[in-house]
mmCIF file of all heavy atoms in Angstrom:
data_model
loop_
_atom_site.group_PDB
_atom_site.id
_atom_site.type_symbol
_atom_site.label_atom_id
_atom_site.label_comp_id
_atom_site.label_asym_id
_atom_site.label_seq_id
_atom_site.Cartn_x
_atom_site.Cartn_y
_atom_site.Cartn_z
ATOM 1 N N PRO A 8 28.087 -70.232 -14.378
ATOM 2 C CA PRO A 8 28.562 -71.218 -15.320
ATOM 3 C C PRO A 8 29.568 -72.254 -14.694
ATOM 4 O O PRO A 8 29.658 -73.330 -15.183
ATOM 5 C CB PRO A 8 29.230 -70.362 -16.383
ATOM 6 C CG PRO A 8 29.373 -69.042 -15.790
ATOM 7 C CD PRO A 8 28.294 -68.885 -14.772
ATOM 8 N N LEU A 9 30.240 -71.844 -13.638
ATOM 9 C CA LEU A 9 31.187 -72.767 -12.989
ATOM 10 C C LEU A 9 30.366 -73.907 -12.366
ATOM 11 O O LEU A 9 30.689 -75.092 -12.457
ATOM 12 C CB LEU A 9 32.001 -72.041 -11.927
ATOM 13 C CG LEU A 9 33.084 -71.131 -12.494
ATOM 14 C CD1 LEU A 9 33.758 -70.350 -11.363
ATOM 15 C CD2 LEU A 9 34.085 -71.814 -13.380
ATOM 16 N N VAL A 10 29.264 -73.525 -11.654
ATOM 17 C CA VAL A 10 28.402 -74.611 -11.054
ATOM 18 C C VAL A 10 27.760 -75.415 -12.163
ATOM 19 O O VAL A 10 27.657 -76.630 -12.044
ATOM 20 C CB VAL A 10 27.322 -73.897 -10.200
ATOM 21 C CG1 VAL A 10 26.316 -74.961 -9.665
ATOM 22 C CG2 VAL A 10 27.990 -73.278 -8.977
ATOM 23 N N ALA A 11 27.316 -74.783 -13.214
ATOM 24 C CA ALA A 11 26.680 -75.524 -14.307
ATOM 25 C C ALA A 11 27.653 -76.493 -14.928
ATOM 26 O O ALA A 11 27.301 -77.655 -15.226
ATOM 27 C CB ALA A 11 26.223 -74.519 -15.410
ATOM 28 N N ALA A 12 28.956 -76.118 -15.047
ATOM 29 C CA ALA A 12 29.937 -77.047 -15.586
ATOM 30 C C ALA A 12 30.163 -78.262 -14.711
ATOM 31 O O ALA A 12 30.311 -79.390 -15.200
ATOM 32 C CB ALA A 12 31.276 -76.280 -15.799
ATOM 33 N N VAL A 13 30.145 -78.032 -13.391
ATOM 34 C CA VAL A 13 30.346 -79.161 -12.439
ATOM 35 C C VAL A 13 29.194 -80.217 -12.665
ATOM 36 O O VAL A 13 29.439 -81.398 -12.686
ATOM 37 C CB VAL A 13 30.351 -78.642 -11.033
ATOM 38 C CG1 VAL A 13 30.300 -79.797 -10.033
ATOM 39 C CG2 VAL A 13 31.618 -77.802 -10.777
ATOM 40 N N PHE A 14 27.933 -79.705 -12.684
ATOM 41 C CA PHE A 14 26.852 -80.620 -12.893
ATOM 42 C C PHE A 14 26.869 -81.232 -14.280
ATOM 43 O O PHE A 14 26.498 -82.428 -14.432
ATOM 44 C CB PHE A 14 25.568 -79.890 -12.617
ATOM 45 C CG PHE A 14 25.185 -79.770 -11.153
ATOM 46 C CD1 PHE A 14 25.626 -78.683 -10.447
ATOM 47 C CD2 PHE A 14 24.390 -80.730 -10.568
ATOM 48 C CE1 PHE A 14 25.334 -78.584 -9.062
ATOM 49 C CE2 PHE A 14 24.053 -80.608 -9.210
ATOM 50 C CZ PHE A 14 24.549 -79.535 -8.461
ATOM 51 N N ALA A 15 27.203 -80.499 -15.315
ATOM 52 C CA ALA A 15 27.237 -81.064 -16.647
ATOM 53 C C ALA A 15 28.259 -82.196 -16.777
ATOM 54 O O ALA A 15 28.037 -83.183 -17.415
ATOM 55 C CB ALA A 15 27.494 -79.945 -17.641
ATOM 56 N N VAL A 16 29.466 -81.959 -16.172
ATOM 57 C CA VAL A 16 30.520 -82.974 -16.242
ATOM 58 C C VAL A 16 30.089 -84.271 -15.594
ATOM 59 O O VAL A 16 30.457 -85.363 -15.988
ATOM 60 C CB VAL A 16 31.803 -82.400 -15.631
ATOM 61 C CG1 VAL A 16 32.813 -83.502 -15.400
ATOM 62 C CG2 VAL A 16 32.440 -81.358 -16.531
ATOM 63 N N ASN A 17 29.257 -84.104 -14.547
ATOM 64 C CA ASN A 17 28.831 -85.311 -13.816
ATOM 65 C C ASN A 17 27.455 -85.770 -14.262
ATOM 66 O O ASN A 17 26.856 -86.578 -13.500
ATOM 67 C CB ASN A 17 28.826 -84.977 -12.259
ATOM 68 C CG ASN A 17 30.213 -84.824 -11.690
ATOM 69 O OD1 ASN A 17 30.884 -85.786 -11.456
ATOM 70 N ND2 ASN A 17 30.638 -83.580 -11.529
ATOM 71 N N SER A 18 26.986 -85.357 -15.411
ATOM 72 C CA SER A 18 25.645 -85.690 -15.842
ATOM 73 C C SER A 18 25.494 -87.207 -16.006
ATOM 74 O O SER A 18 24.405 -87.766 -15.791
ATOM 75 C CB SER A 18 25.315 -84.953 -17.124
ATOM 76 O OG SER A 18 26.233 -85.351 -18.142
ATOM 77 N N GLY A 19 26.533 -87.855 -16.457
ATOM 78 C CA GLY A 19 26.496 -89.336 -16.619
ATOM 79 C C GLY A 19 26.220 -90.081 -15.309
ATOM 80 O O GLY A 19 25.389 -90.924 -15.249
ATOM 81 N N ARG A 20 26.957 -89.668 -14.252
ATOM 82 C CA ARG A 20 26.714 -90.275 -12.998
ATOM 83 C C ARG A 20 25.375 -89.986 -12.416
ATOM 84 O O ARG A 20 24.697 -90.835 -11.813
ATOM 85 C CB ARG A 20 27.785 -89.714 -11.961
ATOM 86 C CG ARG A 20 29.225 -90.124 -12.345
ATOM 87 C CD ARG A 20 30.206 -89.572 -11.341
ATOM 88 N NE ARG A 20 31.581 -89.869 -11.700
ATOM 89 C CZ ARG A 20 32.640 -89.450 -11.022
ATOM 90 N NH1 ARG A 20 32.446 -88.654 -9.919
ATOM 91 N NH2 ARG A 20 33.826 -89.718 -11.398
ATOM 92 N N ILE A 21 24.930 -88.742 -12.639
ATOM 93 C CA ILE A 21 23.558 -88.399 -12.177
ATOM 94 C C ILE A 21 22.483 -89.160 -12.847
ATOM 95 O O ILE A 21 21.521 -89.657 -12.237
ATOM 96 C CB ILE A 21 23.332 -86.852 -12.390
ATOM 97 C CG1 ILE A 21 24.307 -86.049 -11.484
ATOM 98 C CG2 ILE A 21 21.925 -86.484 -12.075
ATOM 99 C CD1 ILE A 21 24.347 -84.568 -11.817
ATOM 100 N N ARG A 22 22.690 -89.380 -14.155
ATOM 101 C CA ARG A 22 21.680 -90.161 -14.887
ATOM 102 C C ARG A 22 21.700 -91.621 -14.463
ATOM 103 O O ARG A 22 20.609 -92.246 -14.294
ATOM 104 C CB ARG A 22 22.049 -90.105 -16.397
ATOM 105 C CG ARG A 22 21.083 -90.968 -17.239
ATOM 106 C CD ARG A 22 21.428 -90.875 -18.689
ATOM 107 N NE ARG A 22 20.592 -91.789 -19.506
ATOM 108 C CZ ARG A 22 20.629 -91.837 -20.806
ATOM 109 N NH1 ARG A 22 21.463 -91.039 -21.524
ATOM 110 N NH2 ARG A 22 19.831 -92.694 -21.421
ATOM 111 N N GLU A 23 22.877 -92.167 -14.171
ATOM 112 C CA GLU A 23 22.908 -93.551 -13.714
ATOM 113 C C GLU A 23 22.182 -93.775 -12.410
ATOM 114 O O GLU A 23 21.591 -94.810 -12.166
ATOM 115 C CB GLU A 23 24.375 -93.994 -13.537
ATOM 116 C CG GLU A 23 25.123 -94.196 -14.859
ATOM 117 C CD GLU A 23 26.590 -94.601 -14.660
ATOM 118 O OE1 GLU A 23 26.988 -94.725 -13.506
ATOM 119 O OE2 GLU A 23 27.303 -94.715 -15.640
ATOM 120 N N ARG A 24 22.232 -92.712 -11.528
ATOM 121 C CA ARG A 24 21.603 -92.872 -10.212
ATOM 122 C C ARG A 24 20.146 -92.486 -10.225
ATOM 123 O O ARG A 24 19.346 -93.121 -9.542
ATOM 124 C CB ARG A 24 22.350 -91.991 -9.222
ATOM 125 C CG ARG A 24 21.807 -92.076 -7.822
ATOM 126 C CD ARG A 24 22.775 -91.582 -6.792
ATOM 127 N NE ARG A 24 22.250 -91.744 -5.418
ATOM 128 C CZ ARG A 24 22.944 -91.495 -4.318
ATOM 129 N NH1 ARG A 24 24.177 -91.021 -4.440
ATOM 130 N NH2 ARG A 24 22.451 -91.699 -3.179
ATOM 131 N N PHE A 25 19.732 -91.486 -10.991
ATOM 132 C CA PHE A 25 18.413 -90.963 -10.909
ATOM 133 C C PHE A 25 17.554 -91.165 -12.172
ATOM 134 O O PHE A 25 16.417 -90.761 -12.232
ATOM 135 C CB PHE A 25 18.417 -89.459 -10.559
ATOM 136 C CG PHE A 25 19.052 -89.178 -9.216
ATOM 137 C CD1 PHE A 25 20.361 -88.655 -9.143
ATOM 138 C CD2 PHE A 25 18.391 -89.388 -8.039
ATOM 139 C CE1 PHE A 25 21.006 -88.399 -7.937
ATOM 140 C CE2 PHE A 25 18.976 -89.153 -6.795
ATOM 141 C CZ PHE A 25 20.238 -88.634 -6.753
ATOM 142 N N GLY A 26 18.230 -91.653 -13.270
ATOM 143 C CA GLY A 26 17.571 -91.746 -14.508
ATOM 144 C C GLY A 26 17.658 -90.474 -15.323
ATOM 145 O O GLY A 26 18.338 -89.518 -14.849
ATOM 146 N N ARG A 27 17.046 -90.399 -16.466
ATOM 147 C CA ARG A 27 17.102 -89.196 -17.288
ATOM 148 C C ARG A 27 15.980 -88.192 -17.051
ATOM 149 O O ARG A 27 16.222 -86.982 -17.190
ATOM 150 C CB ARG A 27 17.143 -89.585 -18.780
ATOM 151 C CG ARG A 27 17.382 -88.410 -19.711
ATOM 152 C CD ARG A 27 17.855 -88.946 -21.074
ATOM 153 N NE ARG A 27 16.882 -89.830 -21.672
ATOM 154 C CZ ARG A 27 15.871 -89.434 -22.394
ATOM 155 N NH1 ARG A 27 15.598 -88.122 -22.514
ATOM 156 N NH2 ARG A 27 14.991 -90.290 -22.919
ATOM 157 N N VAL A 28 14.809 -88.647 -16.661
ATOM 158 C CA VAL A 28 13.677 -87.777 -16.498
ATOM 159 C C VAL A 28 13.845 -86.836 -15.293
ATOM 160 O O VAL A 28 13.614 -85.641 -15.365
ATOM 161 C CB VAL A 28 12.384 -88.521 -16.453
ATOM 162 C CG1 VAL A 28 11.206 -87.590 -16.214
ATOM 163 C CG2 VAL A 28 12.132 -89.338 -17.778
ATOM 164 N N ALA A 29 14.259 -87.378 -14.171
ATOM 165 C CA ALA A 29 14.319 -86.658 -12.917
ATOM 166 C C ALA A 29 15.186 -85.440 -13.023
ATOM 167 O O ALA A 29 14.841 -84.328 -12.679
ATOM 168 C CB ALA A 29 14.726 -87.540 -11.773
ATOM 169 N N PRO A 30 16.442 -85.560 -13.534
ATOM 170 C CA PRO A 30 17.297 -84.406 -13.679
ATOM 171 C C PRO A 30 16.746 -83.395 -14.701
ATOM 172 O O PRO A 30 16.867 -82.168 -14.472
ATOM 173 C CB PRO A 30 18.624 -84.942 -14.208
ATOM 174 C CG PRO A 30 18.631 -86.381 -13.792
ATOM 175 C CD PRO A 30 17.217 -86.815 -13.813
ATOM 176 N N ALA A 31 16.100 -83.892 -15.750
ATOM 177 C CA ALA A 31 15.481 -82.986 -16.788
ATOM 178 C C ALA A 31 14.327 -82.167 -16.216
ATOM 179 O O ALA A 31 14.025 -81.124 -16.669
ATOM 180 C CB ALA A 31 15.096 -83.788 -18.003
ATOM 181 N N VAL A 32 13.647 -82.713 -15.172
ATOM 182 C CA VAL A 32 12.554 -81.990 -14.507
ATOM 183 C C VAL A 32 13.096 -81.086 -13.443
ATOM 184 O O VAL A 32 12.702 -79.887 -13.345
ATOM 185 C CB VAL A 32 11.521 -82.982 -13.889
ATOM 186 C CG1 VAL A 32 10.507 -82.203 -13.081
ATOM 187 C CG2 VAL A 32 10.850 -83.765 -14.989
ATOM 188 N N CYS A 33 14.020 -81.552 -12.652
ATOM 189 C CA CYS A 33 14.580 -80.770 -11.581
ATOM 190 C C CYS A 33 15.389 -79.575 -12.065
ATOM 191 O O CYS A 33 15.380 -78.501 -11.424
ATOM 192 C CB CYS A 33 15.446 -81.616 -10.684
ATOM 193 S SG CYS A 33 14.575 -82.853 -9.680
ATOM 194 N N GLY A 34 16.049 -79.742 -13.216
ATOM 195 C CA GLY A 34 16.873 -78.684 -13.747
ATOM 196 C C GLY A 34 16.125 -77.416 -14.022
ATOM 197 O O GLY A 34 16.442 -76.344 -13.504
ATOM 198 N N PRO A 35 15.006 -77.432 -14.844
ATOM 199 C CA PRO A 35 14.238 -76.219 -15.061
ATOM 200 C C PRO A 35 13.648 -75.634 -13.783
ATOM 201 O O PRO A 35 13.533 -74.453 -13.617
ATOM 202 C CB PRO A 35 13.179 -76.706 -16.072
ATOM 203 C CG PRO A 35 13.749 -77.883 -16.730
ATOM 204 C CD PRO A 35 14.588 -78.527 -15.716
ATOM 205 N N LEU A 36 13.220 -76.551 -12.850
ATOM 206 C CA LEU A 36 12.681 -76.059 -11.621
ATOM 207 C C LEU A 36 13.688 -75.297 -10.804
ATOM 208 O O LEU A 36 13.382 -74.190 -10.213
ATOM 209 C CB LEU A 36 12.146 -77.205 -10.772
ATOM 210 C CG LEU A 36 10.931 -77.979 -11.270
ATOM 211 C CD1 LEU A 36 10.551 -79.152 -10.353
ATOM 212 C CD2 LEU A 36 9.722 -77.022 -11.383
ATOM 213 N N LEU A 37 14.986 -75.726 -10.857
ATOM 214 C CA LEU A 37 16.028 -74.969 -10.168
ATOM 215 C C LEU A 37 16.334 -73.648 -10.900
ATOM 216 O O LEU A 37 16.525 -72.621 -10.237
ATOM 217 C CB LEU A 37 17.272 -75.763 -10.068
ATOM 218 C CG LEU A 37 17.247 -76.988 -9.130
ATOM 219 C CD1 LEU A 37 18.542 -77.780 -9.202
ATOM 220 C CD2 LEU A 37 17.047 -76.555 -7.685
ATOM 221 N N LEU A 38 16.246 -73.676 -12.221
ATOM 222 C CA LEU A 38 16.441 -72.459 -12.988
ATOM 223 C C LEU A 38 15.361 -71.420 -12.627
ATOM 224 O O LEU A 38 15.649 -70.211 -12.480
ATOM 225 C CB LEU A 38 16.385 -72.795 -14.496
ATOM 226 C CG LEU A 38 16.813 -71.738 -15.505
ATOM 227 C CD1 LEU A 38 18.254 -71.311 -15.240
ATOM 228 C CD2 LEU A 38 16.625 -72.249 -16.904
ATOM 229 N N GLY A 39 14.152 -71.880 -12.520
ATOM 230 C CA GLY A 39 13.028 -70.981 -12.104
ATOM 231 C C GLY A 39 13.177 -70.571 -10.657
ATOM 232 O O GLY A 39 12.836 -69.428 -10.271
ATOM 233 N N LEU A 40 13.659 -71.434 -9.815
ATOM 234 C CA LEU A 40 13.823 -71.159 -8.349
ATOM 235 C C LEU A 40 14.841 -70.008 -8.122
ATOM 236 O O LEU A 40 14.698 -69.187 -7.268
ATOM 237 C CB LEU A 40 14.244 -72.356 -7.612
ATOM 238 C CG LEU A 40 14.404 -72.255 -6.069
ATOM 239 C CD1 LEU A 40 13.046 -71.852 -5.449
ATOM 240 C CD2 LEU A 40 14.870 -73.543 -5.434
ATOM 241 N N GLY A 41 15.901 -70.042 -8.983
ATOM 242 C CA GLY A 41 16.865 -68.933 -8.879
ATOM 243 C C GLY A 41 16.247 -67.597 -9.096
ATOM 244 O O GLY A 41 16.474 -66.649 -8.361
ATOM 245 N N ALA A 42 15.403 -67.518 -10.191
ATOM 246 C CA ALA A 42 14.698 -66.268 -10.455
ATOM 247 C C ALA A 42 13.696 -65.893 -9.372
ATOM 248 O O ALA A 42 13.526 -64.709 -9.015
ATOM 249 C CB ALA A 42 14.012 -66.325 -11.847
ATOM 250 N N ALA A 43 13.011 -66.910 -8.850
ATOM 251 C CA ALA A 43 12.073 -66.641 -7.742
ATOM 252 C C ALA A 43 12.783 -66.074 -6.498
ATOM 253 O O ALA A 43 12.248 -65.202 -5.846
ATOM 254 C CB ALA A 43 11.371 -67.944 -7.366
ATOM 255 N N PHE A 44 13.996 -66.557 -6.250
ATOM 256 C CA PHE A 44 14.796 -66.021 -5.142
ATOM 257 C C PHE A 44 15.053 -64.501 -5.376
ATOM 258 O O PHE A 44 14.918 -63.700 -4.423
ATOM 259 C CB PHE A 44 16.128 -66.785 -5.018
ATOM 260 C CG PHE A 44 17.055 -66.217 -4.016
ATOM 261 C CD1 PHE A 44 16.934 -66.529 -2.641
ATOM 262 C CD2 PHE A 44 18.043 -65.312 -4.367
ATOM 263 C CE1 PHE A 44 17.845 -65.979 -1.708
ATOM 264 C CE2 PHE A 44 18.934 -64.750 -3.484
ATOM 265 C CZ PHE A 44 18.784 -65.120 -2.148
ATOM 266 N N TRP A 45 15.428 -64.146 -6.625
ATOM 267 C CA TRP A 45 15.712 -62.734 -6.876
ATOM 268 C C TRP A 45 14.445 -61.938 -6.744
ATOM 269 O O TRP A 45 14.515 -60.763 -6.282
ATOM 270 C CB TRP A 45 16.319 -62.584 -8.274
ATOM 271 C CG TRP A 45 17.594 -63.319 -8.440
ATOM 272 C CD1 TRP A 45 18.583 -63.491 -7.465
ATOM 273 C CD2 TRP A 45 18.064 -63.975 -9.558
ATOM 274 N NE1 TRP A 45 19.599 -64.241 -7.952
ATOM 275 C CE2 TRP A 45 19.329 -64.568 -9.243
ATOM 276 C CE3 TRP A 45 17.537 -64.231 -10.834
ATOM 277 C CZ2 TRP A 45 20.040 -65.324 -10.211
ATOM 278 C CZ3 TRP A 45 18.216 -64.944 -11.748
ATOM 279 C CH2 TRP A 45 19.501 -65.492 -11.415
ATOM 280 N N LEU A 46 13.346 -62.469 -7.119
ATOM 281 C CA LEU A 46 12.060 -61.703 -7.002
ATOM 282 C C LEU A 46 11.781 -61.366 -5.557
ATOM 283 O O LEU A 46 11.258 -60.305 -5.231
ATOM 284 C CB LEU A 46 10.921 -62.526 -7.583
ATOM 285 C CG LEU A 46 10.802 -62.519 -9.119
ATOM 286 C CD1 LEU A 46 9.840 -63.592 -9.589
ATOM 287 C CD2 LEU A 46 10.365 -61.174 -9.646
ATOM 288 N N VAL A 47 12.078 -62.318 -4.656
ATOM 289 C CA VAL A 47 11.790 -62.142 -3.214
ATOM 290 C C VAL A 47 12.845 -61.389 -2.503
ATOM 291 O O VAL A 47 12.613 -60.554 -1.632
ATOM 292 C CB VAL A 47 11.548 -63.483 -2.601
ATOM 293 C CG1 VAL A 47 11.421 -63.370 -1.084
ATOM 294 C CG2 VAL A 47 10.339 -64.220 -3.178
ATOM 295 N N ALA A 48 14.134 -61.681 -2.839
ATOM 296 C CA ALA A 48 15.225 -61.224 -1.968
ATOM 297 C C ALA A 48 16.058 -60.038 -2.502
ATOM 298 O O ALA A 48 16.684 -59.341 -1.652
ATOM 299 C CB ALA A 48 16.178 -62.400 -1.713
ATOM 300 N N THR A 49 16.088 -59.834 -3.817
ATOM 301 C CA THR A 49 17.054 -58.895 -4.386
ATOM 302 C C THR A 49 16.561 -57.448 -4.238
ATOM 303 O O THR A 49 15.506 -57.133 -4.742
ATOM 304 C CB THR A 49 17.371 -59.214 -5.836
ATOM 305 O OG1 THR A 49 17.903 -60.508 -5.974
ATOM 306 C CG2 THR A 49 18.351 -58.215 -6.446
ATOM 307 N N PRO A 50 17.357 -56.600 -3.615
ATOM 308 C CA PRO A 50 16.937 -55.187 -3.454
ATOM 309 C C PRO A 50 17.454 -54.299 -4.560
ATOM 310 O O PRO A 50 18.231 -54.752 -5.449
ATOM 311 C CB PRO A 50 17.640 -54.807 -2.099
ATOM 312 C CG PRO A 50 18.916 -55.607 -2.191
ATOM 313 C CD PRO A 50 18.599 -56.920 -2.874
ATOM 314 N N ALA A 51 17.049 -53.074 -4.540
ATOM 315 C CA ALA A 51 17.504 -52.143 -5.553
ATOM 316 C C ALA A 51 18.986 -51.691 -5.347
ATOM 317 O O ALA A 51 19.634 -51.366 -6.271
ATOM 318 C CB ALA A 51 16.572 -50.869 -5.551
ATOM 319 N N ASP A 52 19.416 -51.764 -4.085
ATOM 320 C CA ASP A 52 20.795 -51.419 -3.752
ATOM 321 C C ASP A 52 21.642 -52.689 -3.765
ATOM 322 O O ASP A 52 21.187 -53.795 -3.414
ATOM 323 C CB ASP A 52 20.860 -50.746 -2.380
ATOM 324 C CG ASP A 52 20.088 -49.427 -2.373
ATOM 325 O OD1 ASP A 52 20.153 -48.691 -3.373
ATOM 326 O OD2 ASP A 52 19.406 -49.194 -1.337
ATOM 327 N N PRO A 53 22.958 -52.557 -4.119
ATOM 328 C CA PRO A 53 23.746 -53.751 -4.238
ATOM 329 C C PRO A 53 23.899 -54.549 -2.938
ATOM 330 O O PRO A 53 24.144 -53.976 -1.886
ATOM 331 C CB PRO A 53 25.138 -53.129 -4.617
ATOM 332 C CG PRO A 53 24.834 -51.866 -5.291
ATOM 333 C CD PRO A 53 23.621 -51.323 -4.565
ATOM 334 N N ASP A 54 23.669 -55.826 -3.069
ATOM 335 C CA ASP A 54 23.893 -56.762 -1.915
ATOM 336 C C ASP A 54 24.107 -58.129 -2.564
ATOM 337 O O ASP A 54 23.256 -59.017 -2.536
ATOM 338 C CB ASP A 54 22.691 -56.738 -1.016
ATOM 339 C CG ASP A 54 22.948 -57.545 0.302
ATOM 340 O OD1 ASP A 54 24.030 -58.175 0.394
ATOM 341 O OD2 ASP A 54 22.078 -57.561 1.183
ATOM 342 N N TYR A 55 25.277 -58.334 -3.144
ATOM 343 C CA TYR A 55 25.527 -59.433 -3.988
ATOM 344 C C TYR A 55 25.575 -60.832 -3.264
ATOM 345 O O TYR A 55 24.896 -61.760 -3.657
ATOM 346 C CB TYR A 55 26.811 -59.235 -4.785
ATOM 347 C CG TYR A 55 27.275 -60.400 -5.613
ATOM 348 C CD1 TYR A 55 26.647 -60.682 -6.818
ATOM 349 C CD2 TYR A 55 28.293 -61.251 -5.225
ATOM 350 C CE1 TYR A 55 27.048 -61.743 -7.607
ATOM 351 C CE2 TYR A 55 28.704 -62.309 -5.968
ATOM 352 C CZ TYR A 55 28.085 -62.560 -7.169
ATOM 353 O OH TYR A 55 28.496 -63.626 -7.925
#
């Protein structure tokens, strides 16, 4: 949530530079990429 807050606070600047569609597409892709990372990398034993 700390990282999410940083990007949300700067959403206006991001929109001015990249438009509204590009962040709206990249955002869900990154959300899915995080889960894909866990599918590949996360073990049963703690390794945070």
Side-chain angles (χ1 to χ4, degrees):
L9 291 175
V10 172
V13 170
F14 277 88
V16 167
N17 290 282
S18 60
R20 296 179 183 177
I21 295 171
R22 177 179 176 177
E23 288 178 2
R24 180 161 186 176
F25 299 102
R27 186 161 58 85
V28 175
V32 173
C33 291
L36 291 177
L37 290 175
L38 192 60
L40 184 60
F44 174 84
W45 299 324
L46 283 167
V47 173
T49 301
D52 298 319
D54 189 354
Y55 174 77

